[in-house]
Amino acid sequence: MSAAMHLPILPVVLPLFAGVVLLALRNTPLWLQRGLSVAATLALIPFAFALIGAAADGSHLVYKLGNWSAPYGIVLVADRLAAWMLLTTALLAIFALLYALRGIDSEGRHFHVLFQLQLFGLNGAFLTGDLFNLFVFFEILLLASYGLLLHGGGRLRVKAGLHYVVINLVGSTLFLFAVGTLYGISGTLNMADLAVKIAAAPPENAALLQSAALLLFGVFALKAALLPLYLWLPAAYAHTSAPVAALFAIMTKVGAYSILRVYSLMAGDVPGPLSNLLDAWLAPLALATLALGTLGALASSGLRQQAAYLVVASVGTLLLAFGLGNADALAAGLYYLPHTAFATAALFLLADQIARARGGLADRFESGPEMPRAPVLGGLFFFVAMAIAGMPPLSGFLGKFMLLKAALSEPLLVWVWGVVLIAGLATVIALARSGSLLFYRTHSAHGDASLVAPDTAALTPVVALLLLVVILTVWAGPLSAYATETAMQLLDPQQYIDAVLGVAP
Amino acid sequence: MEALIALVIGVLTAGGVFLSLRGQTFPVVLGLTLLSYAVNLFLFIMGRLAIGLPPVITDNAQGYTDPLPQALVLTAIVISFGMTAFVIVLALKARAELGNDHVDGLQSEEDRD
């Protein structure tokens, strides 16, 4: 056994180990905990790059836990999609964590433990090849997210947190019902084996399989905040602390990832009872989500609430791409995914700095005092708004352009073009309105001590996230080529099935 | 036997759904607990009902019961137990912070003095 063989499990084990060690070190000085947490999170980046390098040739790295081969044992599978998600998570996490080091991590207890366990759950969910294991990793990332969401406390945070916890507990129950039904029919939980068993299922089980698969879709849609299951998101994201909201930019993507992974295997364009099951649902719901998220952004009363609604809108765009389902649309969605994660995370972090610079008014959309260092904040806000709204020349524009182009051959063409373009315009209007209100309609604030000038160190993570958006734009060629190859791999689930079940290709 | 188990799961689920739609946090927590009981039973039954059969390979066994759902349900019980403990603590915290036990934190009339 060489060290390279163990590569797929390292991104799972490392945060777990770091989390446990941090728990043991909870009474040590803060700098030690911070150093360890940053080091563990930084180490995820080279692992993710190594996995991308290993998966880039189209191979599936299958890691058999306990050396039990599938379908009897649990496997971790690293393919192009999983490696892509891991890299996005690692890059997002390190900057969210660096921002949290500005003092938010010491507002409550165990921030770093929860942060590492959150990464453990996220990485595990992206890598696992087993449906029940996916449930377990979902529970881990949710339990860590409950703790992170409530970190620091406060009235509104507890209220939003209660809703978030209860709705996710109901979601977990439904997940188990769906998993139980699938197991009861097929006798397996390995995703590759499930795909084989479902394709060969007798027709009398078709209705049961479809209801289980749609129940599972409901659960993933709840995590992804797809209409009509998005109502928990705006309050939860708007009221939590900024670095947590920034990290949660990847949480909705876990739902989107699960939809893509599970349904490309089980309900793809192959004969069987679940063939093309989601075609009638996903794209129309995603369009409605995009429209409502944008309307929410227009109607928001504060910047963080607006950012939360923009997360809903970005989920709509992403799932629209996945729902259209052709190779170009999937590639557009996969290219758009890291862009939207970085851009919304940057907006959440920036909104926190703006709120601090406005004293008691915080981020409410009311004309307020002139902010200290307003040119810097305003310049960054302009940049972030351009990225989120998908204005050229940044990567959001490229992603949306790829999506619109991919929709040309689809029956929903008119709807896709209409909703995406109008939603883009409405996002520009919403962000321009909030920008002009926050930065131009101000009165001078002499001697108001409650205004905190943003320090350079706190703005560095925002700038770094924006640099990632620029990198996505500059290297759009190779990155979108990678996304296209990932899409081709997803559209040929037989490769995944053969790799996991050990059939020689 | 199957009909009885199905009825039990159905009643538990119905009770759980009803209670989790209530306005106070305590019935909601009870509802979530009932739902998790229902789903644990459901998972367990997915290995089919069998009486007196061993789950592991032995000589002279008449047949086997499926051990995997038992392992799954054990995991699910542990997770739901932990979640229930967490949500109870959170409900108490919400009660303390918001001053009442409504899920939306609404102030009732008599609280407003």
Side-chain angles (χ1 to χ4, degrees):
Chain A
M1 293 287 264
S2 66
M5 279 185 68
H6 291 290
L7 187 61
I9 199 165
L10 288 178
V12 184
V13 173
L14 179 78
L16 172 63
F17 185 70
V20 173
V21 170
L22 280 165
L23 189 60
L25 295 178
R26 64 188 180 282
N27 291 327
T28 56
L30 199 56
W31 62 265
L32 183 66
Q33 300 180 36
R34 286 176 170 174
L36 192 63
S37 190
V38 169
T41 313
L42 263 182
L44 290 177
I45 297 174
F47 288 155
F49 271 115
L51 273 175
I52 285 205
D57 61 349
S59 59
H60 294 73
L61 280 79
V62 180
Y63 187 84
K64 299 171 191 163
L65 291 159
N67 218 11
W68 288 88
S69 48
Y72 304 107
I74 290 171
V75 289
L76 299 181
V77 186
D79 60 353
R80 288 194 183 111
L81 175 63
W84 185 244
M85 299 301 295
L86 285 178
L87 184 62
T88 309
T89 311
L91 290 173
L92 189 67
I94 186 66
F95 294 118
L97 183 62
L98 286 179
Y99 188 89
L101 297 188
R102 303 295 309 149
I104 291 164
D105 59 340
S106 53
E107 279 175 8
R109 282 155 56 184
H110 303 315
F111 180 86
H112 293 292
V113 178
L114 291 168
F115 195 90
Q116 293 299 325
L117 292 180
Q118 173 86 65
L119 290 177
F120 166 55
L122 283 168
N123 289 349
F126 292 139
L127 282 169
T128 185
D130 183 280
L131 204 55
F132 194 79
N133 213 216
L134 183 66
F135 164 76
V136 174
F137 279 120
F138 261 58
E139 290 307 304
I140 292 168
L141 73 89
L142 284 173
L143 195 47
S145 78
Y146 303 154
L148 283 176
L149 187 81
L150 295 165
H151 181 79
R155 224 171 148 267
L156 290 171
R157 207 169 280 179
V158 169
K159 188 180 143 190
L162 188 66
H163 291 184
Y164 176 78
V165 171
V166 168
I167 196 158
N168 273 303
L169 285 180
V170 174
S172 306
T173 312
L174 293 180
F175 197 153
L176 276 179
F177 272 119
V179 166
T181 313
L182 284 175
Y183 180 79
I185 297 166
S186 64
T188 183
L189 287 169
N190 180 288
M191 288 196 231
D193 199 28
L194 258 180
V196 176
K197 294 270 163 59
I198 285 174
E204 67 262 25
N205 283 342
L208 259 181
L209 279 172
Q210 283 169 2
S211 43
L214 283 174
L215 194 57
L216 205 53
F217 171 63
V219 177
F220 294 152
L222 172 71
K223 314 283 177 199
L226 188 69
L227 183 98
L229 299 169
Y230 73 94
L231 294 167
W232 56 271
L233 188 141
Y237 280 39
H239 291 134
T240 188
S241 58
V244 175
L247 181 67
F248 280 13
I250 197 76
M251 290 273 285
T252 51
K253 277 51 172 193
V254 183
Y257 162 85
S258 308
I259 290 174
L260 191 57
R261 168 70 77 209
V262 171
Y263 292 93
S264 72
L265 279 171
M266 286 183 356
D269 196 7
V270 285
L274 301 185
S275 177
N276 296 325
L277 180 70
L278 291 187
D279 281 11
W281 297 97
L282 191 50
L285 283 177
L287 279 172
T289 312
L290 175 57
L292 264 175
T294 314
L295 284 180
L298 276 172
S300 296
S301 59
L303 187 56
R304 284 182 299 177
Q305 196 186 20
Q306 189 166 52
Y309 273 108
L310 288 170
V311 171
V312 176
S314 81
V315 165
T317 313
L318 195 59
L319 287 177
L320 176 62
F322 294 167
L324 289 178
N326 63 41
D328 292 337
L330 283 183
L334 291 169
Y335 177 76
Y336 186 73
L337 190 149
H339 159 81
T340 174
F342 298 149
T344 39
L347 182 57
F348 275 117
L349 298 182
L350 189 63
D352 188 48
Q353 283 301 313
I354 290 176
R356 281 164 199 257
R358 297 179 86 222
L361 261 183
D363 66 334
R364 283 201 299 281
F365 289 148
E366 288 165 30
S367 86
E370 201 174 303
M371 282 175 257
R373 294 184 77 185
V376 181
L377 284 176
L380 285 173
F381 182 81
F382 177 70
F383 206 133
V384 174
M386 291 250 296
I388 287 190
M391 299 287 283
L394 292 173
S395 47
F397 170 74
L398 297 174
K400 282 193 180 168
F401 181 73
M402 284 162 74
L403 174 62
L404 293 179
K405 203 163 146 245
L408 279 177
S409 57
E410 295 289 328
L412 280 172
L413 169 69
V414 181
W415 285 98
V416 173
W417 276 62
V419 174
V420 170
L421 290 177
I422 293 172
L425 178 67
T427 312
V428 173
I429 292 171
L431 286 166
R433 198 192 56 143
S434 32
S436 60
L437 192 74
L438 292 172
F439 292 100
Y440 293 146
R441 289 197 15 211
T442 54
H443 50 77
S444 72
H446 287 299
D448 190 343
S450 67
L451 310 185
V452 185
D455 52 8
T456 311
L459 291 176
T460 311
V462 182
V463 175
L465 284 166
L466 287 175
L467 272 181
L468 288 176
V469 172
V470 172
I471 288 173
L472 272 173
T473 314
V474 173
W475 275 287
L479 290 174
S480 63
Y482 182 89
T484 309
E485 284 174 356
T486 311
M488 302 305 280
Q489 198 177 31
L490 284 170
L491 289 176
D492 185 10
Q494 198 57 43
Q495 289 179 23
Y496 183 98
I497 295 169
D498 289 348
V500 171
L501 296 181
V503 183
Chain B
M1 186 67 175
E2 276 85 356
L4 183 65
I5 295 281
L7 196 66
V8 168
I9 295 174
V11 169
L12 279 175
T13 311
V17 169
F18 175 75
L19 283 175
S20 45
L21 292 174
R22 307 290 292 175
Q24 260 82 38
T25 47
F26 185 64
V28 170
V29 173
L30 280 187
L32 292 172
T33 316
L34 283 189
L35 272 178
S36 73
Y37 288 165
V39 79
N40 288 342
L41 203 53
F42 181 79
L43 266 185
F44 185 67
I45 298 312
M46 278 303 124
R48 305 294 187 269
L49 292 169
I51 296 171
L53 296 178
V56 286
I57 295 174
T58 47
D59 297 333
N60 61 44
Q62 303 294 313
Y64 295 101
T65 180
D66 190 347
L68 191 68
Q70 307 184 7
L72 297 184
V73 85
L74 209 58
T75 316
I77 286 171
V78 173
I79 289 177
S80 66
F81 188 70
M83 292 295 178
T84 308
F86 181 83
V87 80
I88 286 174
V89 173
L90 182 61
L92 282 174
K93 191 173 162 62
R95 168 76 181 78
E97 294 251 352
L98 305 172
N100 63 71
D101 67 344
H102 195 274
V103 284
D104 283 332
L106 295 176
Q107 302 286 334
S108 63
E109 288 303 319
E110 57 265 33
D111 284 347
R112 276 201 196 132
D113 47 5

